[in-house]
Amino acid sequence: MAWCLQESISTSSGAPSIVYMKAVNAVYISSIFLKYFIENAKDEKIEELHLSLDESEPMPTDITKDLNTQEFVMHSVLSFIGSIDVSPDTYLLHLELLNFMLVAMSTQLLSGPSPGPEDVNPFIDAAMSQESSLVLLVVRRLLLSYISGPSISLNSASYSVYSEGSQPGVLQRVGSAAANFMLLPFNFLVSSSGEGSRSLLADCSLHVLLILIHYHKCVEGIEPITDKSNDTTASDSLLKGSTHFSDNPYCKALEHATDVEFDRADTEGNVHVGPVLRLPFASLFDALGMYLADEAAALLLYSLLQGNAGFLEYVLVRTDLDTLLMPILEALYNASKRTSNQIYMLLIILLILSQDSSFNASIHKLILPSVPWYKERLLHQTSLGSLMVITLIRTVQYNLSKLRDVYLHTTCLATLANMAPHVHRLSAYSSQRLVSLFDMLSRKYNKLAEMRDNQMRLAKGNSFEGNGLADDTSTEMHIYTDFLRLVLEILNAILTYALPRNPEVVYAIMHRQEVFQPFRNHPRFSELLENIYTVLDFFNSRMDAQNTDGEWSVEKVLQVIIINCRSWRGEGMKMFTQLRFTYEQESHPEEFFIPYLWQLVLSRCTLGFNPRSINLFTVDPPSEKQSDYEVESSDHVNGESAKQAVFLDP
């Protein structure tokens, strides 16, 4: 296979189709056999799979004698991917090489969820050891394939798949059942009209890239740890026998990528040492916005925003932020149809963006003519910021009734808190939802308080169980106390820093002022409620001073509020420290990302893997064997469920 690829590279300009035919056949057959070896590794390890070139075999003149097979193969595969453009002639070979990469990297499925020094991933390790110039080419090609999403019509290909002249190809000579299985990827490639799927090569490119950038080899030794938080190296060496994670060149290439239209060194004067990956940020931004409903696209956006300061800066200065935000908000609106992991990633993306004050200001200036996917209410001429507030509050409401995840609650409220001081002309509906959020959380808090009191009485009757229940309820009450304080902090920030620009918020607080009354003397809330009651007293007194004929209408009340907002000076308001929440990645993110990525790969790609061999995440065992070609559906951890996957059962 490697030699066929080298021949394809050396004759790339005007290469005859027979060269690519040989390479496609070699890559596909190699994938089948390698997948079988990995799935059936003894003791769920692949240490017995020692790959080396037989000395009796003829050796190409340009190959080093002591090079092991996995390094030879991965160098050939990555060289072709990185150096040969995708065209109708090379499309199938590119696609099969990406499938081969997924098979070769599937050794991760044999390891447990926490990477350890005993994990054996020879092909990924070989990919990590490639020279930096090749790494840059591969990352660039994978991203460009994702951005452009090249597709072909097989009918227009310049050669027949798996055939050589008038002779049938090797895969066409096997039995019909096996042929159907082995040709499965190409069945997915062609639609009823004969046109190729836009997303097949793009999706495979993205999956391969994500697995590469999130891989970190756990090694034992005395090498120093690299502190990713400040890019400095710890001075103290590790003791012998301790473990650390090696650097990932693909991750570093993505982190230091720059825009082809703009060189940061021109303005900042700090040039990155060595070659730098240059990408079309504008095209990448548009592609992400178009496909953010896909979980893998959200993971790529997260990786770029979290790791690449240049891309984050580029996103923040775009004037069409709705390109990214609208698909994110629509996905959160349909949270019941999304996995919990996808909801987490989208909320973290919003939290990262909300850390920037210019972002919080600009989203309120962008007016949306309509929001067709929002069904509960007709939203006309709503600002993007108001829609974001509505959607985040709706997510909290959904989480309260379904997921009940504290981390999700905290992330939503932290994003709202970051936005609060910069709110501008918040819509009537989003202002009402903000006050309703406090009411909803307060009712949950009151229920917990009642439960705790009942359990405390039960505990006094010498009931050990009652005492334990009371402790659990007290813990939950403490959590909801923090949530209520956060909502009050959000309202305080709007009233303190942005009241004149938000008459609808004042109206919503006045309209529902009774929901705050029970907490006015509460020791945890009274200080925060003082400012709210200062505002209420000011506007209530202005309302009382108005002589109006007939009953008050919404329009009349709002008009009085708008007039008096102009004379508001904030007298008597207490200034609290402005809340600012930032996102920090966990110390071992690979424990989340690697299982999550492989669940996505197995559910989306044609790579079917025997569930009995998977240790990376929990898989339900097969129920009943249907045939040699088994269809397996499995539920995974964290609420992730895989779509149907076809695998060959040995």
Side-chain angles (χ1 to χ4, degrees):
M1 183 192 82
W3 290 337
C4 285
L5 289 175
Q6 292 205 339
E7 185 182 5
S8 299
I9 295 172
S10 62
T11 59
S12 59
S13 56
S17 61
I18 189 170
V19 174
Y20 290 124
M21 284 167 13
K22 285 167 57 181
V24 170
N25 283 337
V27 173
Y28 199 87
I29 293 174
S30 298
S31 299
I32 294 295
F33 281 98
L34 183 59
K35 178 173 172 290
Y36 177 85
F37 286 134
I38 293 172
E39 282 181 318
N40 296 278
K42 295 174 184 176
D43 300 321
E44 298 161 348
K45 296 286 182 184
I46 58 165
E47 283 140 335
E48 73 277 8
L49 185 61
H50 292 291
L51 302 168
S52 61
L53 289 170
D54 192 319
E55 292 188 7
S56 64
E57 291 186 61
M59 182 75 70
T61 55
D62 57 341
I63 299 301
T64 309
K65 191 78 173 176
D66 58 354
L67 192 67
N68 63 30
T69 302
Q70 62 263 33
E71 290 187 6
F72 176 34
V73 167
M74 289 307 289
H75 179 77
S76 301
V77 170
L78 294 172
S79 294
F80 187 92
I81 292 173
S83 61
I84 305 299
D85 291 335
V86 178
S87 68
D89 283 339
T90 64
Y91 183 94
L92 292 179
L93 186 49
H94 271 283
L95 182 62
E96 280 313 308
L97 284 172
L98 293 174
N99 285 330
F100 175 84
M101 287 283 292
L102 291 174
V103 168
M105 296 189 294
S106 68
T107 51
Q108 286 188 309
L109 292 167
L110 308 182
S111 306
S114 298
E118 295 182 359
D119 295 343
V120 181
N121 299 293
F123 289 98
I124 313 182
D125 291 339
M128 295 296 146
S129 66
Q130 302 301 317
E131 57 189 25
S132 60
S133 58
L134 179 56
V135 168
L136 292 178
L137 286 173
V138 170
V139 175
R140 182 176 180 275
R141 168 56 55 202
L142 293 174
L143 279 170
L144 290 179
S145 293
Y146 174 70
I147 291 169
S148 61
S151 61
I152 64 164
S153 169
L154 287 183
N155 298 333
S156 66
S158 59
Y159 56 89
S160 301
V161 182
Y162 299 128
S163 64
E164 185 171 343
S166 60
Q167 300 297 318
V170 63
L171 296 183
Q172 292 173 327
R173 293 199 293 264
V174 301
S176 60
N180 286 335
F181 173 77
M182 297 181 82
L183 290 170
L184 183 63
F186 300 101
N187 296 335
F188 280 88
L189 190 67
V190 187
S191 65
S192 58
S193 62
E195 289 299 318
S197 163
R198 179 265 161 210
S199 61
L200 192 57
L201 187 68
D203 284 351
C204 285
S205 298
L206 181 55
H207 291 146
V208 169
L209 176 65
L210 289 172
I211 291 171
L212 285 172
I213 65 174
H214 286 288
Y215 174 73
H216 289 281
K217 183 176 177 61
C218 184
V219 293
E220 288 184 331
I222 58 172
E223 295 182 24
I225 299 178
T226 300
D227 183 1
K228 295 295 178 80
S229 62
N230 55 12
D231 292 331
T232 60
T233 303
S235 57
D236 297 331
S237 294
L238 295 170
L239 297 175
K240 188 174 182 180
S242 60
T243 61
H244 66 280
F245 289 95
S246 60
D247 286 335
N248 182 323
Y250 297 85
C251 181
K252 283 189 173 296
L254 194 67
E255 286 177 353
H256 294 109
T258 61
D259 189 5
V260 291
E261 301 294 332
F262 177 71
D263 191 349
R264 290 171 62 86
D266 292 344
T267 57
E268 296 182 7
N270 49 356
V271 183
H272 175 68
V273 178
V276 177
L277 176 64
R278 299 178 70 80
L279 295 170
F281 280 3
S283 301
L284 184 55
F285 180 92
D286 293 338
L288 286 167
M290 194 177 298
Y291 299 105
L292 262 182
D294 175 51
E295 291 187 68
L299 278 172
L300 176 60
L301 177 58
Y302 162 81
S303 301
L304 287 163
L305 295 178
Q306 195 275 329
N308 189 310
F311 187 77
L312 174 59
E313 182 182 331
Y314 174 84
V315 170
L316 293 173
V317 299
R318 287 281 295 229
T319 56
D320 57 341
L321 282 167
D322 54 315
T323 303
L324 284 186
L325 289 185
M326 288 299 280
I328 292 176
L329 297 178
E330 184 177 1
L332 290 175
Y333 174 81
N334 294 307
S336 59
K337 300 175 185 176
R338 308 293 176 183
T339 64
S340 56
N341 284 340
Q342 185 179 12
I343 295 171
Y344 289 143
M345 297 313 304
L346 295 174
L347 289 174
I348 290 170
I349 288 169
L350 293 181
L351 177 59
I352 292 172
L353 294 173
S354 73
Q355 292 169 191
D356 184 79
S357 57
S358 65
F359 167 84
N360 294 321
S362 61
I363 56 176
H364 290 283
K365 296 173 185 173
L366 205 160
I367 305 299
L368 306 167
S370 64
V371 186
W373 45 261
Y374 198 91
K375 304 300 182 187
E376 283 80 6
R377 194 182 185 95
L378 208 58
L379 298 178
H380 276 310
Q381 299 300 315
T382 300
S383 71
L384 185 58
S386 294
L387 180 62
M388 192 164 158
V389 169
I390 294 166
T391 308
L392 286 170
I393 292 170
R394 194 176 187 277
T395 306
V396 171
Q397 195 171 12
Y398 169 74
N399 182 49
L400 196 63
S401 61
K402 301 290 184 184
L403 301 178
R404 296 175 184 170
D405 188 298
V406 173
Y407 179 75
L408 194 150
H409 260 341
T410 306
T411 308
C412 286
L413 295 177
T415 306
L416 287 169
N418 284 346
M419 293 168 63
H422 311 280
V423 165
H424 186 86
R425 298 197 177 281
L426 202 64
S427 70
Y429 182 53
S430 50
S431 301
Q432 293 162 19
R433 300 303 301 148
L434 199 52
V435 177
S436 295
L437 174 63
F438 180 84
D439 184 34
M440 178 178 62
L441 293 173
S442 65
R443 280 188 274 114
K444 178 67 175 175
Y445 174 87
N446 290 332
K447 279 184 184 177
L448 289 170
E450 188 178 341
M451 284 173 57
R452 185 197 58 180
D453 293 341
N454 292 336
Q455 289 160 1
M456 292 291 283
R457 283 195 293 271
L458 186 63
K460 286 180 181 176
N462 296 323
S463 169
F464 178 79
E465 182 184 357
N467 196 25
L469 288 171
D471 290 342
D472 291 342
T473 307
S474 293
T475 302
E476 198 170 356
M477 268 193 72
H478 181 73
I479 292 169
Y480 275 88
T481 301
D482 289 341
F483 288 159
L484 282 170
R485 280 188 61 85
L486 252 178
V487 176
L488 288 175
E489 294 263 20
I490 291 165
L491 291 171
N492 260 280
I494 296 173
L495 297 178
T496 305
Y497 298 101
L499 185 147
R501 305 191 301 270
N502 292 283
E504 293 286 2
V505 176
V506 176
Y507 178 87
I509 291 172
M510 291 181 68
H511 183 64
R512 300 287 305 279
Q513 54 189 289
E514 72 280 354
V515 303
F516 302 104
Q517 187 60 42
F519 299 94
R520 192 167 186 178
N521 297 317
H522 193 290
R524 291 293 307 278
F525 307 126
S526 58
E527 187 181 31
L528 290 167
L529 281 167
E530 283 181 22
N531 279 349
I532 291 176
Y533 274 96
T534 299
V535 172
L536 284 171
D537 291 343
F538 175 85
F539 284 95
N540 282 332
S541 65
R542 298 302 189 277
M543 294 285 295
D544 293 340
Q546 292 289 321
N547 294 320
T548 181
D549 297 328
E551 303 228 348
W552 283 100
S553 65
V554 174
E555 290 76 15
K556 286 181 180 177
V557 174
L558 195 56
Q559 191 59 37
V560 172
I561 292 172
I562 291 170
I563 292 169
N564 285 283
C565 274
R566 296 167 189 160
S567 60
W568 169 260
R569 297 291 178 268
E571 295 172 2
M573 296 284 281
K574 284 189 175 180
M575 300 297 290
F576 293 99
T577 304
Q578 192 171 312
L579 288 183
R580 187 172 180 272
F581 291 88
T582 57
Y583 169 74
E584 288 186 8
Q585 195 176 65
E586 294 288 338
S587 56
H588 295 291
E590 61 282 337
E591 294 184 8
F592 168 78
F593 286 110
I594 293 174
Y596 182 26
L597 280 169
W598 278 107
Q599 288 170 21
L600 286 180
V601 169
L602 292 181
S603 66
R604 305 290 171 83
C605 289
T606 56
L607 169 68
F609 205 88
N610 190 340
R612 300 182 187 93
S613 302
I614 297 175
N615 296 312
L616 186 61
F617 45 81
T618 305
V619 183
D620 290 340
S623 52
E624 266 183 49
K625 182 160 179 167
Q626 300 168 349
S627 68
D628 284 343
Y629 304 99
E630 200 165 331
V631 178
E632 184 64 29
S633 179
S634 54
D635 292 328
H636 302 310
V637 293
N638 297 328
E640 278 288 26
S641 62
K643 296 179 181 176
Q644 289 185 331
V646 181
F647 64 91
L648 182 62
D649 186 5

